[in-house]
PDB file of all heavy atoms in Angstrom:
ATOM      1  N   VAL A   1       0.840  -1.198   0.000  1.00 95.00           N
ATOM      2  CA  VAL A   1       0.000   0.000   0.000  1.00 95.00           C
ATOM      3  C   VAL A   1       0.873   1.246   0.000  1.00 95.00           C
ATOM      4  O   VAL A   1       0.631   2.200  -0.749  1.00 95.00           O
ATOM      5  CB  VAL A   1      -0.976  -0.007   1.199  1.00 95.00           C
ATOM      6  CG1 VAL A   1      -1.703   1.324   1.314  1.00 95.00           C
ATOM      7  CG2 VAL A   1      -1.966  -1.148   1.064  1.00 95.00           C
ATOM      8  N   LEU A   2       1.917   1.246   0.824  1.00 94.00           N
ATOM      9  CA  LEU A   2       2.836   2.384   0.851  1.00 94.00           C
ATOM     10  C   LEU A   2       3.523   2.566  -0.502  1.00 94.00           C
ATOM     11  O   LEU A   2       3.721   3.691  -0.956  1.00 94.00           O
ATOM     12  CB  LEU A   2       3.870   2.205   1.964  1.00 94.00           C
ATOM     13  CG  LEU A   2       3.325   2.337   3.382  1.00 94.00           C
ATOM     14  CD1 LEU A   2       4.378   1.898   4.390  1.00 94.00           C
ATOM     15  CD2 LEU A   2       2.847   3.750   3.665  1.00 94.00           C
ATOM     16  N   GLU A   3       3.870   1.463  -1.139  1.00 94.00           N
ATOM     17  CA  GLU A   3       4.469   1.530  -2.469  1.00 94.00           C
ATOM     18  C   GLU A   3       3.506   2.176  -3.457  1.00 94.00           C
ATOM     19  O   GLU A   3       3.890   3.030  -4.257  1.00 94.00           O
ATOM     20  CB  GLU A   3       4.836   0.131  -2.943  1.00 94.00           C
ATOM     21  CG  GLU A   3       5.371   0.086  -4.356  1.00 94.00           C
ATOM     22  CD  GLU A   3       5.512  -1.325  -4.890  1.00 94.00           C
ATOM     23  OE1 GLU A   3       5.373  -2.285  -4.127  1.00 94.00           O
ATOM     24  OE2 GLU A   3       5.750  -1.441  -6.101  1.00 94.00           O
ATOM     25  N   TRP A   4       2.242   1.792  -3.399  1.00 95.00           N
ATOM     26  CA  TRP A   4       1.227   2.373  -4.288  1.00 95.00           C
ATOM     27  C   TRP A   4       1.120   3.876  -4.056  1.00 95.00           C
ATOM     28  O   TRP A   4       1.106   4.659  -5.011  1.00 95.00           O
ATOM     29  CB  TRP A   4      -0.115   1.683  -4.064  1.00 95.00           C
ATOM     30  CG  TRP A   4      -1.278   2.387  -4.695  1.00 95.00           C
ATOM     31  CD1 TRP A   4      -1.508   2.549  -6.031  1.00 95.00           C
ATOM     32  CD2 TRP A   4      -2.353   3.032  -4.025  1.00 95.00           C
ATOM     33  NE1 TRP A   4      -2.675   3.251  -6.224  1.00 95.00           N
ATOM     34  CE2 TRP A   4      -3.207   3.560  -5.009  1.00 95.00           C
ATOM     35  CE3 TRP A   4      -2.677   3.205  -2.683  1.00 95.00           C
ATOM     36  CZ2 TRP A   4      -4.366   4.256  -4.694  1.00 95.00           C
ATOM     37  CZ3 TRP A   4      -3.840   3.894  -2.372  1.00 95.00           C
ATOM     38  CH2 TRP A   4      -4.664   4.412  -3.371  1.00 95.00           C
ATOM     39  N   ILE A   5       1.073   4.274  -2.792  1.00 96.00           N
ATOM     40  CA  ILE A   5       0.964   5.694  -2.469  1.00 96.00           C
ATOM     41  C   ILE A   5       2.177   6.451  -2.993  1.00 96.00           C
ATOM     42  O   ILE A   5       2.053   7.485  -3.650  1.00 96.00           O
ATOM     43  CB  ILE A   5       0.816   5.897  -0.940  1.00 96.00           C
ATOM     44  CG1 ILE A   5      -0.528   5.360  -0.464  1.00 96.00           C
ATOM     45  CG2 ILE A   5       0.986   7.372  -0.572  1.00 96.00           C
ATOM     46  CD1 ILE A   5      -0.650   5.250   1.045  1.00 96.00           C
ATOM     47  N   ALA A   6       3.371   5.941  -2.703  1.00 95.00           N
ATOM     48  CA  ALA A   6       4.601   6.660  -3.024  1.00 95.00           C
ATOM     49  C   ALA A   6       4.936   6.641  -4.513  1.00 95.00           C
ATOM     50  O   ALA A   6       5.469   7.619  -5.037  1.00 95.00           O
ATOM     51  CB  ALA A   6       5.762   6.071  -2.226  1.00 95.00           C
ATOM     52  N   CYS A   7       4.627   5.546  -5.180  1.00 93.00           N
ATOM     53  CA  CYS A   7       5.129   5.370  -6.547  1.00 93.00           C
ATOM     54  C   CYS A   7       4.067   5.449  -7.640  1.00 93.00           C
ATOM     55  O   CYS A   7       4.413   5.618  -8.810  1.00 93.00           O
ATOM     56  CB  CYS A   7       5.873   4.041  -6.645  1.00 93.00           C
ATOM     57  SG  CYS A   7       7.250   3.916  -5.489  1.00 93.00           S
ATOM     58  N   SER A   8       2.810   5.324  -7.293  1.00 95.00           N
ATOM     59  CA  SER A   8       1.782   5.278  -8.333  1.00 95.00           C
ATOM     60  C   SER A   8       0.890   6.514  -8.378  1.00 95.00           C
ATOM     61  O   SER A   8       0.347   6.839  -9.436  1.00 95.00           O
ATOM     62  CB  SER A   8       0.907   4.031  -8.162  1.00 95.00           C
ATOM     63  OG  SER A   8       1.685   2.876  -8.339  1.00 95.00           O
ATOM     64  N   LEU A   9       0.711   7.165  -7.256  1.00 96.00           N
ATOM     65  CA  LEU A   9      -0.166   8.338  -7.251  1.00 96.00           C
ATOM     66  C   LEU A   9       0.552   9.537  -7.854  1.00 96.00           C
ATOM     67  O   LEU A   9       1.760   9.700  -7.691  1.00 96.00           O
ATOM     68  CB  LEU A   9      -0.609   8.665  -5.822  1.00 96.00           C
ATOM     69  CG  LEU A   9      -1.501   7.646  -5.133  1.00 96.00           C
ATOM     70  CD1 LEU A   9      -1.841   8.119  -3.720  1.00 96.00           C
ATOM     71  CD2 LEU A   9      -2.770   7.394  -5.922  1.00 96.00           C
ATOM     72  N   ASP A  10      -0.218  10.394  -8.535  1.00 95.00           N
ATOM     73  CA  ASP A  10       0.381  11.611  -9.078  1.00 95.00           C
ATOM     74  C   ASP A  10       0.521  12.659  -7.969  1.00 95.00           C
ATOM     75  O   ASP A  10       0.072  12.456  -6.835  1.00 95.00           O
ATOM     76  CB  ASP A  10      -0.430  12.137 -10.262  1.00 95.00           C
ATOM     77  CG  ASP A  10      -1.834  12.591  -9.888  1.00 95.00           C
ATOM     78  OD1 ASP A  10      -2.108  12.851  -8.696  1.00 95.00           O
ATOM     79  OD2 ASP A  10      -2.675  12.695 -10.797  1.00 95.00           O
ATOM     80  N   GLY A  11       1.145  13.768  -8.303  1.00 94.00           N
ATOM     81  CA  GLY A  11       1.451  14.805  -7.315  1.00 94.00           C
ATOM     82  C   GLY A  11       0.246  15.340  -6.574  1.00 94.00           C
ATOM     83  O   GLY A  11       0.273  15.514  -5.354  1.00 94.00           O
ATOM     84  N   GLY A  12      -0.837  15.596  -7.296  1.00 95.00           N
ATOM     85  CA  GLY A  12      -2.041  16.119  -6.654  1.00 95.00           C
ATOM     86  C   GLY A  12      -2.641  15.137  -5.666  1.00 95.00           C
ATOM     87  O   GLY A  12      -3.068  15.517  -4.567  1.00 95.00           O
ATOM     88  N   ASN A  13      -2.662  13.874  -6.040  1.00 96.00           N
ATOM     89  CA  ASN A  13      -3.210  12.854  -5.145  1.00 96.00           C
ATOM     90  C   ASN A  13      -2.287  12.594  -3.960  1.00 96.00           C
ATOM     91  O   ASN A  13      -2.751  12.294  -2.863  1.00 96.00           O
ATOM     92  CB  ASN A  13      -3.497  11.567  -5.916  1.00 96.00           C
ATOM     93  CG  ASN A  13      -4.681  11.722  -6.841  1.00 96.00           C
ATOM     94  OD1 ASN A  13      -5.593  12.501  -6.575  1.00 96.00           O
ATOM     95  ND2 ASN A  13      -4.675  11.004  -7.938  1.00 96.00           N
ATOM     96  N   LYS A  14      -0.969  12.729  -4.176  1.00 97.00           N
ATOM     97  CA  LYS A  14      -0.032  12.623  -3.052  1.00 97.00           C
ATOM     98  C   LYS A  14      -0.286  13.744  -2.050  1.00 97.00           C
ATOM     99  O   LYS A  14      -0.185  13.541  -0.837  1.00 97.00           O
ATOM    100  CB  LYS A  14       1.411  12.647  -3.535  1.00 97.00           C
ATOM    101  CG  LYS A  14       1.857  11.347  -4.175  1.00 97.00           C
ATOM    102  CD  LYS A  14       3.305  11.424  -4.616  1.00 97.00           C
ATOM    103  CE  LYS A  14       3.683  10.147  -5.349  1.00 97.00           C
ATOM    104  NZ  LYS A  14       5.044  10.214  -5.900  1.00 97.00           N
ATOM    105  N   ASN A  15      -0.621  14.930  -2.560  1.00 97.00           N
ATOM    106  CA  ASN A  15      -0.949  16.048  -1.663  1.00 97.00           C
ATOM    107  C   ASN A  15      -2.183  15.745  -0.830  1.00 97.00           C
ATOM    108  O   ASN A  15      -2.234  16.054   0.361  1.00 97.00           O
ATOM    109  CB  ASN A  15      -1.152  17.347  -2.456  1.00 97.00           C
ATOM    110  CG  ASN A  15       0.143  17.924  -2.962  1.00 97.00           C
ATOM    111  OD1 ASN A  15       1.190  17.774  -2.343  1.00 97.00           O
ATOM    112  ND2 ASN A  15       0.080  18.592  -4.097  1.00 97.00           N
ATOM    113  N   VAL A  16      -3.189  15.131  -1.463  1.00 97.00           N
ATOM    114  CA  VAL A  16      -4.413  14.749  -0.748  1.00 97.00           C
ATOM    115  C   VAL A  16      -4.071  13.756   0.362  1.00 97.00           C
ATOM    116  O   VAL A  16      -4.530  13.891   1.503  1.00 97.00           O
ATOM    117  CB  VAL A  16      -5.460  14.138  -1.720  1.00 97.00           C
ATOM    118  CG1 VAL A  16      -6.622  13.512  -0.960  1.00 97.00           C
ATOM    119  CG2 VAL A  16      -5.949  15.189  -2.702  1.00 97.00           C
ATOM    120  N   VAL A  17      -3.236  12.771   0.036  1.00 97.00           N
ATOM    121  CA  VAL A  17      -2.841  11.756   1.018  1.00 97.00           C
ATOM    122  C   VAL A  17      -2.033  12.398   2.144  1.00 97.00           C
ATOM    123  O   VAL A  17      -2.268  12.116   3.322  1.00 97.00           O
ATOM    124  CB  VAL A  17      -2.041  10.613   0.349  1.00 97.00           C
ATOM    125  CG1 VAL A  17      -1.475   9.656   1.385  1.00 97.00           C
ATOM    126  CG2 VAL A  17      -2.926   9.869  -0.631  1.00 97.00           C
ATOM    127  N   ALA A  18      -1.102  13.266   1.796  1.00 97.00           N
ATOM    128  CA  ALA A  18      -0.285  13.933   2.817  1.00 97.00           C
ATOM    129  C   ALA A  18      -1.169  14.748   3.760  1.00 97.00           C
ATOM    130  O   ALA A  18      -0.984  14.705   4.988  1.00 97.00           O
ATOM    131  CB  ALA A  18       0.760  14.820   2.154  1.00 97.00           C
ATOM    132  N   ASP A  19      -2.125  15.475   3.206  1.00 96.00           N
ATOM    133  CA  ASP A  19      -3.053  16.248   4.048  1.00 96.00           C
ATOM    134  C   ASP A  19      -3.855  15.331   4.960  1.00 96.00           C
ATOM    135  O   ASP A  19      -4.029  15.618   6.145  1.00 96.00           O
ATOM    136  CB  ASP A  19      -4.013  17.082   3.185  1.00 96.00           C
ATOM    137  CG  ASP A  19      -3.326  18.245   2.501  1.00 96.00           C
ATOM    138  OD1 ASP A  19      -2.190  18.594   2.892  1.00 96.00           O
ATOM    139  OD2 ASP A  19      -3.920  18.790   1.541  1.00 96.00           O
ATOM    140  N   MET A  20      -4.323  14.211   4.414  1.00 95.00           N
ATOM    141  CA  MET A  20      -5.118  13.280   5.203  1.00 95.00           C
ATOM    142  C   MET A  20      -4.305  12.693   6.347  1.00 95.00           C
ATOM    143  O   MET A  20      -4.790  12.542   7.455  1.00 95.00           O
ATOM    144  CB  MET A  20      -5.651  12.160   4.296  1.00 95.00           C
ATOM    145  CG  MET A  20      -6.639  11.225   4.946  1.00 95.00           C
ATOM    146  SD  MET A  20      -6.169   9.505   5.273  1.00 95.00           S
ATOM    147  CE  MET A  20      -4.883   9.050   4.220  1.00 95.00           C
ATOM    148  N   LEU A  21      -3.029  12.377   6.068  1.00 95.00           N
ATOM    149  CA  LEU A  21      -2.160  11.785   7.085  1.00 95.00           C
ATOM    150  C   LEU A  21      -1.507  12.826   7.989  1.00 95.00           C
ATOM    151  O   LEU A  21      -0.813  12.473   8.939  1.00 95.00           O
ATOM    152  CB  LEU A  21      -1.055  10.958   6.405  1.00 95.00           C
ATOM    153  CG  LEU A  21      -1.519   9.722   5.642  1.00 95.00           C
ATOM    154  CD1 LEU A  21      -0.355   9.103   4.891  1.00 95.00           C
ATOM    155  CD2 LEU A  21      -2.142   8.718   6.596  1.00 95.00           C
ATOM    156  N   LYS A  22      -1.716  14.105   7.641  1.00 96.00           N
ATOM    157  CA  LYS A  22      -1.118  15.222   8.391  1.00 96.00           C
ATOM    158  C   LYS A  22       0.409  15.118   8.396  1.00 96.00           C
ATOM    159  O   LYS A  22       1.065  15.257   9.430  1.00 96.00           O
ATOM    160  CB  LYS A  22      -1.677  15.297   9.809  1.00 96.00           C
ATOM    161  CG  LYS A  22      -3.167  15.587   9.842  1.00 96.00           C
ATOM    162  CD  LYS A  22      -3.679  15.644  11.261  1.00 96.00           C
ATOM    163  CE  LYS A  22      -5.097  16.078  11.337  1.00 96.00           C
ATOM    164  NZ  LYS A  22      -6.118  15.245  10.872  1.00 96.00           N
ATOM    165  N   ILE A  23       0.938  14.840   7.191  1.00 96.00           N
ATOM    166  CA  ILE A  23       2.382  14.806   6.996  1.00 96.00           C
ATOM    167  C   ILE A  23       2.727  15.715   5.831  1.00 96.00           C
ATOM    168  O   ILE A  23       1.845  16.161   5.090  1.00 96.00           O
ATOM    169  CB  ILE A  23       2.911  13.377   6.714  1.00 96.00           C
ATOM    170  CG1 ILE A  23       2.301  12.805   5.425  1.00 96.00           C
ATOM    171  CG2 ILE A  23       2.644  12.453   7.903  1.00 96.00           C
ATOM    172  CD1 ILE A  23       2.909  11.485   4.972  1.00 96.00           C
ATOM    173  N   ASP A  24       4.005  15.965   5.648  1.00 97.00           N
ATOM    174  CA  ASP A  24       4.479  16.767   4.539  1.00 97.00           C
ATOM    175  C   ASP A  24       4.584  15.883   3.300  1.00 97.00           C
ATOM    176  O   ASP A  24       4.991  14.719   3.398  1.00 97.00           O
ATOM    177  CB  ASP A  24       5.854  17.351   4.898  1.00 97.00           C
ATOM    178  CG  ASP A  24       6.157  18.620   4.153  1.00 97.00           C
ATOM    179  OD1 ASP A  24       5.208  19.341   3.794  1.00 97.00           O
ATOM    180  OD2 ASP A  24       7.349  18.892   3.927  1.00 97.00           O
ATOM    181  N   VAL A  25       4.240  16.399   2.142  1.00 96.00           N
ATOM    182  CA  VAL A  25       4.303  15.602   0.920  1.00 96.00           C
ATOM    183  C   VAL A  25       5.739  15.139   0.657  1.00 96.00           C
ATOM    184  O   VAL A  25       5.954  14.085   0.045  1.00 96.00           O
ATOM    185  CB  VAL A  25       3.694  16.358  -0.283  1.00 96.00           C
ATOM    186  CG1 VAL A  25       4.603  17.472  -0.770  1.00 96.00           C
ATOM    187  CG2 VAL A  25       3.350  15.402  -1.410  1.00 96.00           C
ATOM    188  N   GLN A  26       6.728  15.871   1.148  1.00 96.00           N
ATOM    189  CA  GLN A  26       8.119  15.447   0.981  1.00 96.00           C
ATOM    190  C   GLN A  26       8.394  14.123   1.689  1.00 96.00           C
ATOM    191  O   GLN A  26       9.276  13.363   1.289  1.00 96.00           O
ATOM    192  CB  GLN A  26       9.098  16.527   1.493  1.00 96.00           C
ATOM    193  CG  GLN A  26       9.258  17.701   0.553  1.00 96.00           C
ATOM    194  CD  GLN A  26       8.123  18.721   0.688  1.00 96.00           C
ATOM    195  OE1 GLN A  26       7.380  18.724   1.665  1.00 96.00           O
ATOM    196  NE2 GLN A  26       7.985  19.578  -0.301  1.00 96.00           N
ATOM    197  N   ASP A  27       7.622  13.819   2.742  1.00 96.00           N
ATOM    198  CA  ASP A  27       7.772  12.529   3.419  1.00 96.00           C
ATOM    199  C   ASP A  27       7.400  11.383   2.484  1.00 96.00           C
ATOM    200  O   ASP A  27       8.038  10.325   2.502  1.00 96.00           O
ATOM    201  CB  ASP A  27       6.914  12.469   4.683  1.00 96.00           C
ATOM    202  CG  ASP A  27       7.363  13.455   5.750  1.00 96.00           C
ATOM    203  OD1 ASP A  27       8.552  13.849   5.733  1.00 96.00           O
ATOM    204  OD2 ASP A  27       6.532  13.839   6.581  1.00 96.00           O
ATOM    205  N   ILE A  28       6.380  11.595   1.674  1.00 96.00           N
ATOM    206  CA  ILE A  28       5.976  10.576   0.707  1.00 96.00           C
ATOM    207  C   ILE A  28       7.050  10.434  -0.371  1.00 96.00           C
ATOM    208  O   ILE A  28       7.387   9.319  -0.781  1.00 96.00           O
ATOM    209  CB  ILE A  28       4.600  10.899   0.091  1.00 96.00           C
ATOM    210  CG1 ILE A  28       3.515  10.866   1.177  1.00 96.00           C
ATOM    211  CG2 ILE A  28       4.265   9.933  -1.049  1.00 96.00           C
ATOM    212  CD1 ILE A  28       2.151  11.306   0.716  1.00 96.00           C
ATOM    213  N   GLN A  29       7.617  11.557  -0.791  1.00 95.00           N
ATOM    214  CA  GLN A  29       8.690  11.506  -1.782  1.00 95.00           C
ATOM    215  C   GLN A  29       9.931  10.814  -1.212  1.00 95.00           C
ATOM    216  O   GLN A  29      10.609  10.062  -1.922  1.00 95.00           O
ATOM    217  CB  GLN A  29       9.008  12.922  -2.268  1.00 95.00           C
ATOM    218  CG  GLN A  29       7.850  13.527  -3.050  1.00 95.00           C
ATOM    219  CD  GLN A  29       7.960  15.030  -3.223  1.00 95.00           C
ATOM    220  OE1 GLN A  29       8.734  15.699  -2.540  1.00 95.00           O
ATOM    221  NE2 GLN A  29       7.166  15.568  -4.140  1.00 95.00           N
ATOM    222  N   SER A  30      10.206  11.032   0.074  1.00 94.00           N
ATOM    223  CA  SER A  30      11.326  10.341   0.722  1.00 94.00           C
ATOM    224  C   SER A  30      11.079   8.838   0.751  1.00 94.00           C
ATOM    225  O   SER A  30      11.997   8.042   0.516  1.00 94.00           O
ATOM    226  CB  SER A  30      11.524  10.858   2.146  1.00 94.00           C
ATOM    227  OG  SER A  30      11.886  12.216   2.132  1.00 94.00           O
ATOM    228  N   LEU A  31       9.854   8.452   1.045  1.00 94.00           N
ATOM    229  CA  LEU A  31       9.498   7.033   1.040  1.00 94.00           C
ATOM    230  C   LEU A  31       9.727   6.432  -0.338  1.00 94.00           C
ATOM    231  O   LEU A  31      10.269   5.328  -0.469  1.00 94.00           O
ATOM    232  CB  LEU A  31       8.039   6.844   1.469  1.00 94.00           C
ATOM    233  CG  LEU A  31       7.476   5.432   1.340  1.00 94.00           C
ATOM    234  CD1 LEU A  31       8.225   4.465   2.251  1.00 94.00           C
ATOM    235  CD2 LEU A  31       5.988   5.431   1.650  1.00 94.00           C
ATOM    236  N   GLN A  32       9.352   7.160  -1.372  1.00 93.00           N
ATOM    237  CA  GLN A  32       9.550   6.678  -2.734  1.00 93.00           C
ATOM    238  C   GLN A  32      11.042   6.447  -3.004  1.00 93.00           C
ATOM    239  O   GLN A  32      11.423   5.416  -3.561  1.00 93.00           O
ATOM    240  CB  GLN A  32       8.983   7.668  -3.746  1.00 93.00           C
ATOM    241  CG  GLN A  32       9.113   7.206  -5.184  1.00 93.00           C
ATOM    242  CD  GLN A  32       8.488   8.181  -6.160  1.00 93.00           C
ATOM    243  OE1 GLN A  32       8.048   9.273  -5.797  1.00 93.00           O
ATOM    244  NE2 GLN A  32       8.451   7.801  -7.413  1.00 93.00           N
ATOM    245  N   ARG A  33      11.896   7.375  -2.583  1.00 92.00           N
ATOM    246  CA  ARG A  33      13.339   7.212  -2.786  1.00 92.00           C
ATOM    247  C   ARG A  33      13.868   6.004  -2.032  1.00 92.00           C
ATOM    248  O   ARG A  33      14.684   5.235  -2.547  1.00 92.00           O
ATOM    249  CB  ARG A  33      14.087   8.483  -2.357  1.00 92.00           C
ATOM    250  CG  ARG A  33      13.942   9.623  -3.356  1.00 92.00           C
ATOM    251  CD  ARG A  33      14.902  10.755  -3.062  1.00 92.00           C
ATOM    252  NE  ARG A  33      14.712  11.348  -1.743  1.00 92.00           N
ATOM    253  CZ  ARG A  33      13.808  12.278  -1.461  1.00 92.00           C
ATOM    254  NH1 ARG A  33      13.013  12.728  -2.412  1.00 92.00           N
ATOM    255  NH2 ARG A  33      13.702  12.776  -0.243  1.00 92.00           N
ATOM    256  N   VAL A  34      13.397   5.800  -0.806  1.00 92.00           N
ATOM    257  CA  VAL A  34      13.837   4.642  -0.022  1.00 92.00           C
ATOM    258  C   VAL A  34      13.433   3.348  -0.713  1.00 92.00           C
ATOM    259  O   VAL A  34      14.230   2.415  -0.836  1.00 92.00           O
ATOM    260  CB  VAL A  34      13.267   4.696   1.420  1.00 92.00           C
ATOM    261  CG1 VAL A  34      13.472   3.383   2.141  1.00 92.00           C
ATOM    262  CG2 VAL A  34      13.890   5.849   2.192  1.00 92.00           C
ATOM    263  N   LEU A  35      12.191   3.277  -1.167  1.00 90.00           N
ATOM    264  CA  LEU A  35      11.714   2.075  -1.846  1.00 90.00           C
ATOM    265  C   LEU A  35      12.519   1.804  -3.116  1.00 90.00           C
ATOM    266  O   LEU A  35      12.849   0.656  -3.416  1.00 90.00           O
ATOM    267  CB  LEU A  35      10.221   2.196  -2.168  1.00 90.00           C
ATOM    268  CG  LEU A  35       9.279   2.173  -0.969  1.00 90.00           C
ATOM    269  CD1 LEU A  35       7.867   2.540  -1.407  1.00 90.00           C
ATOM    270  CD2 LEU A  35       9.300   0.823  -0.288  1.00 90.00           C
ATOM    271  N   GLN A  36      12.845   2.857  -3.850  1.00 88.00           N
ATOM    272  CA  GLN A  36      13.619   2.685  -5.077  1.00 88.00           C
ATOM    273  C   GLN A  36      15.049   2.244  -4.772  1.00 88.00           C
ATOM    274  O   GLN A  36      15.602   1.393  -5.449  1.00 88.00           O
ATOM    275  CB  GLN A  36      13.616   3.967  -5.898  1.00 88.00           C
ATOM    276  CG  GLN A  36      12.267   4.237  -6.535  1.00 88.00           C
ATOM    277  CD  GLN A  36      12.155   5.602  -7.168  1.00 88.00           C
ATOM    278  OE1 GLN A  36      12.889   6.538  -6.819  1.00 88.00           O
ATOM    279  NE2 GLN A  36      11.218   5.744  -8.093  1.00 88.00           N
ATOM    280  N   LYS A  37      15.661   2.816  -3.735  1.00 88.00           N
ATOM    281  CA  LYS A  37      17.050   2.470  -3.396  1.00 88.00           C
ATOM    282  C   LYS A  37      17.166   1.059  -2.830  1.00 88.00           C
ATOM    283  O   LYS A  37      18.203   0.429  -2.958  1.00 88.00           O
ATOM    284  CB  LYS A  37      17.636   3.482  -2.428  1.00 88.00           C
ATOM    285  CG  LYS A  37      17.922   4.807  -3.084  1.00 88.00           C
ATOM    286  CD  LYS A  37      18.635   5.743  -2.160  1.00 88.00           C
ATOM    287  CE  LYS A  37      18.746   7.088  -2.806  1.00 88.00           C
ATOM    288  NZ  LYS A  37      20.049   7.404  -3.302  1.00 88.00           N
ATOM    289  N   THR A  38      16.109   0.587  -2.207  1.00 85.00           N
ATOM    290  CA  THR A  38      16.157  -0.779  -1.673  1.00 85.00           C
ATOM    291  C   THR A  38      15.655  -1.778  -2.707  1.00 85.00           C
ATOM    292  O   THR A  38      15.485  -2.947  -2.400  1.00 85.00           O
ATOM    293  CB  THR A  38      15.315  -0.893  -0.388  1.00 85.00           C
ATOM    294  OG1 THR A  38      13.966  -0.508  -0.673  1.00 85.00           O
ATOM    295  CG2 THR A  38      15.878  -0.031   0.718  1.00 85.00           C
ATOM    296  N   ARG A  39      15.405  -1.265  -3.890  1.00 73.00           N
ATOM    297  CA  ARG A  39      14.960  -2.078  -5.032  1.00 73.00           C
ATOM    298  C   ARG A  39      13.627  -2.778  -4.762  1.00 73.00           C
ATOM    299  O   ARG A  39      13.365  -3.836  -5.295  1.00 73.00           O
ATOM    300  CB  ARG A  39      16.017  -3.062  -5.459  1.00 73.00           C
ATOM    301  CG  ARG A  39      17.295  -2.397  -5.886  1.00 73.00           C
ATOM    302  CD  ARG A  39      18.226  -3.390  -6.544  1.00 73.00           C
ATOM    303  NE  ARG A  39      19.529  -2.820  -6.750  1.00 73.00           N
ATOM    304  CZ  ARG A  39      19.882  -2.084  -7.800  1.00 73.00           C
ATOM    305  NH1 ARG A  39      18.993  -1.796  -8.715  1.00 73.00           N
ATOM    306  NH2 ARG A  39      21.092  -1.629  -7.914  1.00 73.00           N
ATOM    307  N   TRP A  40      12.828  -2.203  -3.878  1.00 59.00           N
ATOM    308  CA  TRP A  40      11.496  -2.757  -3.647  1.00 59.00           C
ATOM    309  C   TRP A  40      10.622  -2.532  -4.869  1.00 59.00           C
ATOM    310  O   TRP A  40       9.784  -3.345  -5.214  1.00 59.00           O
ATOM    311  CB  TRP A  40      10.871  -2.144  -2.391  1.00 59.00           C
ATOM    312  CG  TRP A  40       9.496  -2.660  -2.156  1.00 59.00           C
ATOM    313  CD1 TRP A  40       8.322  -2.043  -2.427  1.00 59.00           C
ATOM    314  CD2 TRP A  40       9.131  -3.933  -1.620  1.00 59.00           C
ATOM    315  NE1 TRP A  40       7.255  -2.820  -2.107  1.00 59.00           N
ATOM    316  CE2 TRP A  40       7.721  -3.994  -1.607  1.00 59.00           C
ATOM    317  CE3 TRP A  40       9.845  -5.026  -1.160  1.00 59.00           C
ATOM    318  CZ2 TRP A  40       7.027  -5.111  -1.135  1.00 59.00           C
ATOM    319  CZ3 TRP A  40       9.140  -6.126  -0.700  1.00 59.00           C
ATOM    320  CH2 TRP A  40       7.757  -6.156  -0.691  1.00 59.00           C
TER     321      TRP A  40
END
């Protein structure tokens, strides 16, 4: 699910998710980088 959020949603939808989770959208982008670097 986290992979879907970080890697499949577009920027606008990531903003919606970040607002819902009360986090910064950069946190989602950081998650995407971690997933990519660990080859997940």
Side-chain angles (χ1 to χ4, degrees):
V1 172
L2 290 170
E3 176 190 350
W4 167 66
I5 292 168
C7 302
S8 296
L9 294 180
D10 65 19
N13 289 331
K14 285 181 184 175
N15 286 329
V16 170
V17 173
D19 289 345
M20 188 249 337
L21 294 173
K22 297 180 173 69
I23 62 172
D24 205 28
V25 74
Q26 284 81 16
D27 294 336
I28 296 174
Q29 294 164 344
S30 296
L31 173 63
Q32 182 178 6
R33 285 192 300 277
V34 168
L35 291 170
Q36 288 171 337
K37 288 186 187 255
T38 58
R39 300 191 190 275
W40 178 258

